[in-house]
PDB file of all heavy atoms in Angstrom:
ATOM      1  N   GLN A 145     -23.536 -88.307 -29.679  1.00  0.00           N
ATOM      2  CA  GLN A 145     -24.855 -88.840 -29.324  1.00  0.00           C
ATOM      3  C   GLN A 145     -24.771 -90.028 -28.382  1.00  0.00           C
ATOM      4  O   GLN A 145     -25.795 -90.555 -27.960  1.00  0.00           O
ATOM      5  CB  GLN A 145     -25.623 -89.172 -30.597  1.00  0.00           C
ATOM      6  CG  GLN A 145     -25.797 -87.894 -31.420  1.00  0.00           C
ATOM      7  CD  GLN A 145     -26.755 -88.032 -32.561  1.00  0.00           C
ATOM      8  OE1 GLN A 145     -26.873 -89.086 -33.165  1.00  0.00           O
ATOM      9  NE2 GLN A 145     -27.441 -86.945 -32.886  1.00  0.00           N
ATOM     10  N   GLN A 146     -23.538 -90.437 -28.052  1.00  0.00           N
ATOM     11  CA  GLN A 146     -23.386 -91.494 -27.055  1.00  0.00           C
ATOM     12  C   GLN A 146     -23.373 -90.921 -25.639  1.00  0.00           C
ATOM     13  O   GLN A 146     -23.431 -91.670 -24.669  1.00  0.00           O
ATOM     14  CB  GLN A 146     -22.077 -92.275 -27.280  1.00  0.00           C
ATOM     15  CG  GLN A 146     -21.956 -92.928 -28.644  1.00  0.00           C
ATOM     16  CD  GLN A 146     -23.029 -93.970 -28.872  1.00  0.00           C
ATOM     17  OE1 GLN A 146     -23.384 -94.710 -27.957  1.00  0.00           O
ATOM     18  NE2 GLN A 146     -23.583 -94.027 -30.071  1.00  0.00           N
ATOM     19  N   LEU A 147     -23.278 -89.595 -25.506  1.00  0.00           N
ATOM     20  CA  LEU A 147     -23.266 -88.978 -24.181  1.00  0.00           C
ATOM     21  C   LEU A 147     -24.649 -89.082 -23.546  1.00  0.00           C
ATOM     22  O   LEU A 147     -25.645 -89.307 -24.232  1.00  0.00           O
ATOM     23  CB  LEU A 147     -22.881 -87.501 -24.297  1.00  0.00           C
ATOM     24  CG  LEU A 147     -21.503 -87.179 -24.883  1.00  0.00           C
ATOM     25  CD1 LEU A 147     -21.341 -85.672 -25.026  1.00  0.00           C
ATOM     26  CD2 LEU A 147     -20.399 -87.746 -24.011  1.00  0.00           C
ATOM     27  N   SER A 148     -24.704 -88.907 -22.217  1.00  0.00           N
ATOM     28  CA  SER A 148     -26.017 -88.866 -21.568  1.00  0.00           C
ATOM     29  C   SER A 148     -26.733 -87.596 -21.997  1.00  0.00           C
ATOM     30  O   SER A 148     -26.107 -86.653 -22.485  1.00  0.00           O
ATOM     31  CB  SER A 148     -25.847 -88.883 -20.051  1.00  0.00           C
ATOM     32  OG  SER A 148     -25.399 -87.611 -19.614  1.00  0.00           O
ATOM     33  N   LEU A 149     -28.048 -87.564 -21.803  1.00  0.00           N
ATOM     34  CA  LEU A 149     -28.812 -86.388 -22.240  1.00  0.00           C
ATOM     35  C   LEU A 149     -28.320 -85.105 -21.574  1.00  0.00           C
ATOM     36  O   LEU A 149     -28.215 -84.058 -22.217  1.00  0.00           O
ATOM     37  CB  LEU A 149     -30.303 -86.595 -21.955  1.00  0.00           C
ATOM     38  CG  LEU A 149     -31.050 -87.453 -22.972  1.00  0.00           C
ATOM     39  CD1 LEU A 149     -32.504 -87.610 -22.540  1.00  0.00           C
ATOM     40  CD2 LEU A 149     -30.990 -86.832 -24.364  1.00  0.00           C
ATOM     41  N   GLY A 150     -28.023 -85.204 -20.271  1.00  0.00           N
ATOM     42  CA  GLY A 150     -27.529 -84.024 -19.557  1.00  0.00           C
ATOM     43  C   GLY A 150     -26.222 -83.534 -20.154  1.00  0.00           C
ATOM     44  O   GLY A 150     -26.008 -82.334 -20.339  1.00  0.00           O
ATOM     45  N   GLN A 151     -25.328 -84.500 -20.450  1.00  0.00           N
ATOM     46  CA  GLN A 151     -24.052 -84.124 -21.074  1.00  0.00           C
ATOM     47  C   GLN A 151     -24.283 -83.535 -22.461  1.00  0.00           C
ATOM     48  O   GLN A 151     -23.630 -82.568 -22.850  1.00  0.00           O
ATOM     49  CB  GLN A 151     -23.144 -85.355 -21.170  1.00  0.00           C
ATOM     50  CG  GLN A 151     -22.636 -85.832 -19.827  1.00  0.00           C
ATOM     51  CD  GLN A 151     -21.899 -87.158 -19.939  1.00  0.00           C
ATOM     52  OE1 GLN A 151     -22.238 -88.005 -20.766  1.00  0.00           O
ATOM     53  NE2 GLN A 151     -20.898 -87.342 -19.103  1.00  0.00           N
ATOM     54  N   GLN A 152     -25.230 -84.125 -23.196  1.00  0.00           N
ATOM     55  CA  GLN A 152     -25.522 -83.602 -24.535  1.00  0.00           C
ATOM     56  C   GLN A 152     -25.981 -82.150 -24.452  1.00  0.00           C
ATOM     57  O   GLN A 152     -25.599 -81.313 -25.260  1.00  0.00           O
ATOM     58  CB  GLN A 152     -26.615 -84.432 -25.217  1.00  0.00           C
ATOM     59  CG  GLN A 152     -26.149 -85.797 -25.656  1.00  0.00           C
ATOM     60  CD  GLN A 152     -27.218 -86.532 -26.462  1.00  0.00           C
ATOM     61  OE1 GLN A 152     -28.103 -85.934 -27.043  1.00  0.00           O
ATOM     62  NE2 GLN A 152     -27.125 -87.845 -26.488  1.00  0.00           N
ATOM     63  N   GLN A 153     -26.810 -81.852 -23.442  1.00  0.00           N
ATOM     64  CA  GLN A 153     -27.309 -80.483 -23.338  1.00  0.00           C
ATOM     65  C   GLN A 153     -26.175 -79.530 -22.987  1.00  0.00           C
ATOM     66  O   GLN A 153     -26.095 -78.428 -23.531  1.00  0.00           O
ATOM     67  CB  GLN A 153     -28.456 -80.421 -22.309  1.00  0.00           C
ATOM     68  CG  GLN A 153     -29.295 -79.156 -22.368  1.00  0.00           C
ATOM     69  CD  GLN A 153     -30.031 -78.968 -23.687  1.00  0.00           C
ATOM     70  OE1 GLN A 153     -29.422 -78.910 -24.753  1.00  0.00           O
ATOM     71  NE2 GLN A 153     -31.344 -78.867 -23.630  1.00  0.00           N
ATOM     72  N   ARG A 154     -25.263 -79.977 -22.112  1.00  0.00           N
ATOM     73  CA  ARG A 154     -24.121 -79.109 -21.811  1.00  0.00           C
ATOM     74  C   ARG A 154     -23.217 -78.962 -23.033  1.00  0.00           C
ATOM     75  O   ARG A 154     -22.607 -77.918 -23.241  1.00  0.00           O
ATOM     76  CB  ARG A 154     -23.350 -79.640 -20.598  1.00  0.00           C
ATOM     77  CG  ARG A 154     -23.995 -79.176 -19.279  1.00  0.00           C
ATOM     78  CD  ARG A 154     -23.314 -79.736 -18.068  1.00  0.00           C
ATOM     79  NE  ARG A 154     -23.680 -81.136 -17.862  1.00  0.00           N
ATOM     80  CZ  ARG A 154     -22.851 -82.069 -17.411  1.00  0.00           C
ATOM     81  NH1 ARG A 154     -21.609 -81.763 -17.103  1.00  0.00           N
ATOM     82  NH2 ARG A 154     -23.272 -83.300 -17.257  1.00  0.00           N
ATOM     83  N   LEU A 155     -23.165 -80.032 -23.843  1.00  0.00           N
ATOM     84  CA  LEU A 155     -22.391 -79.928 -25.091  1.00  0.00           C
ATOM     85  C   LEU A 155     -23.015 -78.871 -26.006  1.00  0.00           C
ATOM     86  O   LEU A 155     -22.309 -78.081 -26.642  1.00  0.00           O
ATOM     87  CB  LEU A 155     -22.348 -81.281 -25.797  1.00  0.00           C
ATOM     88  CG  LEU A 155     -21.613 -81.305 -27.136  1.00  0.00           C
ATOM     89  CD1 LEU A 155     -20.137 -80.968 -26.950  1.00  0.00           C
ATOM     90  CD2 LEU A 155     -21.751 -82.662 -27.815  1.00  0.00           C
ATOM     91  N   CYS A 156     -24.337 -78.861 -26.058  1.00  0.00           N
ATOM     92  CA  CYS A 156     -25.007 -77.847 -26.891  1.00  0.00           C
ATOM     93  C   CYS A 156     -24.718 -76.449 -26.363  1.00  0.00           C
ATOM     94  O   CYS A 156     -24.589 -75.495 -27.140  1.00  0.00           O
ATOM     95  CB  CYS A 156     -26.515 -78.101 -26.927  1.00  0.00           C
ATOM     96  SG  CYS A 156     -26.921 -79.605 -27.826  1.00  0.00           S
ATOM     97  N   ILE A 157     -24.624 -76.334 -25.051  1.00  0.00           N
ATOM     98  CA  ILE A 157     -24.278 -75.031 -24.480  1.00  0.00           C
ATOM     99  C   ILE A 157     -22.836 -74.676 -24.851  1.00  0.00           C
ATOM    100  O   ILE A 157     -22.549 -73.548 -25.262  1.00  0.00           O
ATOM    101  CB  ILE A 157     -24.493 -75.043 -22.947  1.00  0.00           C
ATOM    102  CG1 ILE A 157     -25.999 -75.191 -22.651  1.00  0.00           C
ATOM    103  CG2 ILE A 157     -23.939 -73.771 -22.311  1.00  0.00           C
ATOM    104  CD1 ILE A 157     -26.334 -75.378 -21.189  1.00  0.00           C
ATOM    105  N   ALA A 158     -21.941 -75.660 -24.755  1.00  0.00           N
ATOM    106  CA  ALA A 158     -20.545 -75.418 -25.132  1.00  0.00           C
ATOM    107  C   ALA A 158     -20.446 -74.992 -26.595  1.00  0.00           C
ATOM    108  O   ALA A 158     -19.704 -74.075 -26.954  1.00  0.00           O
ATOM    109  CB  ALA A 158     -19.710 -76.684 -24.906  1.00  0.00           C
ATOM    110  N   ARG A 159     -21.218 -75.660 -27.442  1.00  0.00           N
ATOM    111  CA  ARG A 159     -21.217 -75.371 -28.866  1.00  0.00           C
ATOM    112  C   ARG A 159     -21.679 -73.927 -29.111  1.00  0.00           C
ATOM    113  O   ARG A 159     -21.158 -73.217 -29.958  1.00  0.00           O
ATOM    114  CB  ARG A 159     -22.176 -76.357 -29.542  1.00  0.00           C
ATOM    115  CG  ARG A 159     -22.334 -76.232 -31.005  1.00  0.00           C
ATOM    116  CD  ARG A 159     -23.196 -77.352 -31.528  1.00  0.00           C
ATOM    117  NE  ARG A 159     -24.594 -77.234 -31.130  1.00  0.00           N
ATOM    118  CZ  ARG A 159     -25.545 -78.088 -31.489  1.00  0.00           C
ATOM    119  NH1 ARG A 159     -25.243 -79.136 -32.223  1.00  0.00           N
ATOM    120  NH2 ARG A 159     -26.781 -77.915 -31.094  1.00  0.00           N
ATOM    121  N   THR A 160     -22.677 -73.505 -28.322  1.00  0.00           N
ATOM    122  CA  THR A 160     -23.180 -72.143 -28.451  1.00  0.00           C
ATOM    123  C   THR A 160     -22.141 -71.124 -27.971  1.00  0.00           C
ATOM    124  O   THR A 160     -21.915 -70.097 -28.610  1.00  0.00           O
ATOM    125  CB  THR A 160     -24.478 -71.993 -27.637  1.00  0.00           C
ATOM    126  OG1 THR A 160     -25.394 -72.990 -28.087  1.00  0.00           O
ATOM    127  CG2 THR A 160     -25.076 -70.633 -27.796  1.00  0.00           C
ATOM    128  N   ILE A 161     -21.516 -71.450 -26.837  1.00  0.00           N
ATOM    129  CA  ILE A 161     -20.527 -70.538 -26.261  1.00  0.00           C
ATOM    130  C   ILE A 161     -19.329 -70.353 -27.186  1.00  0.00           C
ATOM    131  O   ILE A 161     -18.722 -69.285 -27.231  1.00  0.00           O
ATOM    132  CB  ILE A 161     -20.036 -71.100 -24.898  1.00  0.00           C
ATOM    133  CG1 ILE A 161     -21.147 -70.993 -23.862  1.00  0.00           C
ATOM    134  CG2 ILE A 161     -18.813 -70.358 -24.422  1.00  0.00           C
ATOM    135  CD1 ILE A 161     -20.788 -71.664 -22.553  1.00  0.00           C
ATOM    136  N   ALA A 162     -19.021 -71.403 -27.958  1.00  0.00           N
ATOM    137  CA  ALA A 162     -17.810 -71.384 -28.779  1.00  0.00           C
ATOM    138  C   ALA A 162     -17.798 -70.261 -29.805  1.00  0.00           C
ATOM    139  O   ALA A 162     -16.731 -69.874 -30.284  1.00  0.00           O
ATOM    140  CB  ALA A 162     -17.622 -72.731 -29.482  1.00  0.00           C
ATOM    141  N   VAL A 163     -18.956 -69.748 -30.184  1.00  0.00           N
ATOM    142  CA  VAL A 163     -18.953 -68.648 -31.159  1.00  0.00           C
ATOM    143  C   VAL A 163     -19.039 -67.281 -30.478  1.00  0.00           C
ATOM    144  O   VAL A 163     -19.312 -66.271 -31.111  1.00  0.00           O
ATOM    145  CB  VAL A 163     -20.079 -68.786 -32.207  1.00  0.00           C
ATOM    146  CG1 VAL A 163     -19.851 -70.017 -33.056  1.00  0.00           C
ATOM    147  CG2 VAL A 163     -21.454 -68.846 -31.556  1.00  0.00           C
ATOM    148  N   GLU A 164     -18.767 -67.284 -29.155  1.00  0.00           N
ATOM    149  CA  GLU A 164     -18.703 -66.041 -28.377  1.00  0.00           C
ATOM    150  C   GLU A 164     -19.941 -65.174 -28.513  1.00  0.00           C
ATOM    151  O   GLU A 164     -19.878 -64.031 -28.983  1.00  0.00           O
ATOM    152  CB  GLU A 164     -17.429 -65.265 -28.756  1.00  0.00           C
ATOM    153  CG  GLU A 164     -16.192 -65.987 -28.287  1.00  0.00           C
ATOM    154  CD  GLU A 164     -14.955 -65.624 -29.088  1.00  0.00           C
ATOM    155  OE1 GLU A 164     -14.965 -64.576 -29.742  1.00  0.00           O
ATOM    156  OE2 GLU A 164     -14.004 -66.415 -29.054  1.00  0.00           O
ATOM    157  N   PRO A 165     -21.079 -65.721 -28.092  1.00  0.00           N
ATOM    158  CA  PRO A 165     -22.311 -64.934 -28.158  1.00  0.00           C
ATOM    159  C   PRO A 165     -22.371 -63.932 -27.006  1.00  0.00           C
ATOM    160  O   PRO A 165     -21.531 -63.983 -26.101  1.00  0.00           O
ATOM    161  CB  PRO A 165     -23.392 -65.994 -27.985  1.00  0.00           C
ATOM    162  CG  PRO A 165     -22.769 -67.023 -27.110  1.00  0.00           C
ATOM    163  CD  PRO A 165     -21.297 -67.040 -27.457  1.00  0.00           C
TER     164      PRO A 165
END
Side-chain angles (χ1 to χ4, degrees):
Chain A
Q145 299 191 327
Q146 301 297 321
L147 299 175
S148 75
L149 280 178
Q151 290 172 327
Q152 288 186 23
Q153 195 63 302
R154 277 177 284 143
L155 178 63
C156 292
I157 294 173
R159 180 174 70 179
T160 304
I161 289 174
V163 295
E164 292 156 19

